[in-house]
Amino acid sequence: MLTPVRIFSKTFFISRINIRTQRLVTIIAVVLFIVKLVAWWLTDSVSILTDALESTVNVVAGMISLYSVIVAAKPRDKNHPYGHGKAEFVSAAVEGSLIFVAGSVIIFEAVRTYFHPRKIDSLDSGIILVSITAVINFIVGTYTMRTGYKNNSLALIASGKHLRTDTFSTLGIVAGLLLIYFTGWLWVDSVVAISFAVLILITGAKIIRRSLAGIMDESDAKLLAQLVEKVNANRNENWIDLHKLRIIKFGSILHVDCHLTVPWYLTVREAHAEVDRFSEFVKKEFGESVELFIHSDGCENFSCSICLKQDCQVRQHDFVKRLHWTIEMVSDDSKHSLKT
């Protein structure tokens, strides 16, 4: 079992990777923003302006995310016993809000341009420049998302998704510009801009929703389901029951607490060994950046009917049925029986 010092060292290493990744994202966002501004200056296309405005959000959001990742990497202290990981939720909320505002501004400008079309110049150069930014955004976005999922960083996941969305919207804009290039239909510029502005609004709303869920400590049903499924498949006979299971995510660290029912006659040392065994199993499945707070409970008479232990010398009732734990069951505040 890893000591707190080794857990902190591993967490610190992961945090450094997150910071380096987010710094790369921020630098690239600035460069691509400049490229898109040049493309807009050459063409005066509202579609490219749409892309440039979203890149403005990329730059600001990247800086905010970089700051949040640095803050989240700070070790716990007296005033923050669970660490500083929630800074990432705040960062994601700000980024989602900025994306939402940018989408609204783009729609306004696109509608205005639809009724008052403007001549578009140097389309070929604009298409080439914007296409290059799409390729770079896709590569960086994919790398950032993978790093975020690997290290449980909401800020990196949000940045990666934003960059990937930016890639697809840019490709759609390029398609619209190509249509204008070959047909001369200037109204397509505004329609394309409005279409992808709606996509931007949806993306911003999803990021805001997820960040607020983290700030409010909303249960992660998917993660909880994975844990319950794995425990069901690898249950030890001394793990008679499981309840009051909670999972909270702060930055890259998962905090898990639960009540584990074990045979009542185990000594303190034996009960603690079962707790350690359960902890090691969870860390093996979900990584070492997990903190577990497990309370051991002694079994009751009604536990006999669901107890898998075969050599129990003090069994009061016959074994009847193995309970298949569900999210609802393990989240309950009380021990279970066949009547549960």
Side-chain angles (χ1 to χ4, degrees):
M1 184 174 181
L2 290 182
T3 63
V5 173
R6 291 181 64 189
I7 292 175
F8 171 75
S9 299
K10 185 176 181 65
T11 303
F12 179 73
F13 176 72
I14 291 174
S15 298
R16 290 190 64 181
I17 294 176
N18 292 347
I19 292 172
R20 186 169 64 245
T21 302
Q22 189 58 55
R23 185 182 292 119
L24 174 66
V25 169
T26 304
I27 293 173
I28 292 177
V30 173
V31 174
L32 296 186
F33 170 62
I34 295 173
V35 172
K36 290 180 181 180
L37 280 182
V38 172
W40 173 57
W41 178 74
L42 289 174
T43 62
D44 198 28
S45 165
V46 70
S47 296
I48 296 180
L49 175 61
T50 297
D51 225 15
L53 282 177
E54 189 179 5
S55 291
T56 304
V57 177
N58 288 349
V59 173
V60 177
M63 292 179 179
I64 294 173
S65 294
L66 178 59
Y67 174 74
S68 76
V69 170
I70 293 174
V71 171
K74 292 182 178 179
R76 69 188 68 188
D77 53 37
K78 183 178 179 181
N79 295 324
H80 304 86
Y82 289 97
H84 301 75
K86 280 201 172 183
E88 292 196 8
F89 293 126
V90 178
S91 163
V94 173
E95 181 173 353
S97 299
L98 289 173
I99 293 173
F100 200 85
V101 171
S104 302
V105 172
I106 291 167
I107 290 178
F108 174 81
E109 180 65 20
V111 170
R112 188 176 68 84
T113 306
Y114 180 82
F115 292 104
H116 301 88
R118 295 190 300 232
K119 182 182 178 181
I120 301 177
D121 301 313
S122 303
L123 255 183
D124 49 353
S125 299
I127 291 172
I128 293 173
L129 290 175
V130 173
S131 298
I132 292 173
T133 65
V135 173
I136 296 175
N137 264 338
F138 183 81
I139 295 172
V140 177
T142 300
Y143 171 74
T144 304
M145 282 181 61
R146 288 178 178 175
T147 304
Y149 281 119
K150 181 179 179 181
N151 297 336
N152 291 319
S153 173
L154 180 62
L156 290 184
I157 294 173
S159 294
K161 285 186 175 181
H162 186 189
L163 292 175
R164 289 281 293 267
T165 301
D166 192 19
T167 298
F168 298 132
S169 62
T170 299
L171 290 177
I173 289 171
V174 168
L177 292 175
L178 287 172
L179 183 60
I180 297 172
Y181 183 80
F182 288 109
T183 65
W185 297 341
L186 296 180
W187 57 268
V188 172
D189 194 34
S190 297
V191 173
V192 170
I194 292 173
S195 299
F196 286 95
V198 172
L199 178 62
I200 291 172
L201 290 176
I202 294 174
T203 301
K206 287 182 178 179
I207 293 177
I208 293 173
R209 170 68 183 85
R210 185 171 182 183
S211 62
L212 291 179
I215 293 173
M216 298 298 293
D217 293 336
E218 181 177 309
S219 175
D220 189 329
K222 182 178 180 181
L223 186 61
L224 196 57
Q226 291 176 354
L227 176 57
V228 173
E229 179 184 355
K230 292 181 181 297
V231 174
N232 269 319
N234 299 274
R235 191 186 307 184
N236 184 286
E237 66 172 6
N238 283 330
W239 303 349
I240 300 173
D241 192 23
L242 188 67
H243 59 285
K244 284 191 175 181
L245 179 61
R246 307 285 188 271
I247 298 180
I248 302 176
K249 182 176 181 296
F250 294 128
S252 60
I253 299 179
L254 290 176
H255 297 266
V256 181
D257 62 87
C258 65
H259 284 217
L260 180 67
T261 302
V262 298
W264 63 264
Y265 53 82
L266 295 185
T267 65
V268 173
R269 180 174 294 179
E270 290 170 338
H272 193 271
E274 292 302 327
V275 169
D276 286 344
R277 190 174 291 112
F278 188 87
S279 298
E280 290 169 2
F281 167 75
V282 174
K283 289 180 180 180
K284 178 182 177 182
E285 297 294 334
F286 292 91
E288 296 295 344
S289 295
V290 179
E291 285 194 347
L292 295 103
F293 302 91
I294 304 174
H295 175 79
S296 59
D297 287 332
C299 61
E300 304 285 351
N301 286 344
F302 58 77
S303 302
C304 291
S305 58
I306 61 172
C307 178
L308 301 175
K309 194 170 182 63
Q310 298 181 359
D311 60 349
C312 180
Q313 302 299 317
V314 295
R315 180 180 290 276
Q316 300 296 310
H317 304 284
D318 293 334
F319 170 74
V320 177
K321 179 182 178 182
R322 167 179 170 153
L323 285 184
H324 183 81
W325 292 329
T326 63
I327 293 179
E328 294 75 16
M329 189 179 295
V330 299
S331 300
D332 283 348
D333 292 334
S334 58
K335 300 174 185 177
H336 305 109
S337 67
L338 289 180
K339 297 180 180 179
T340 302

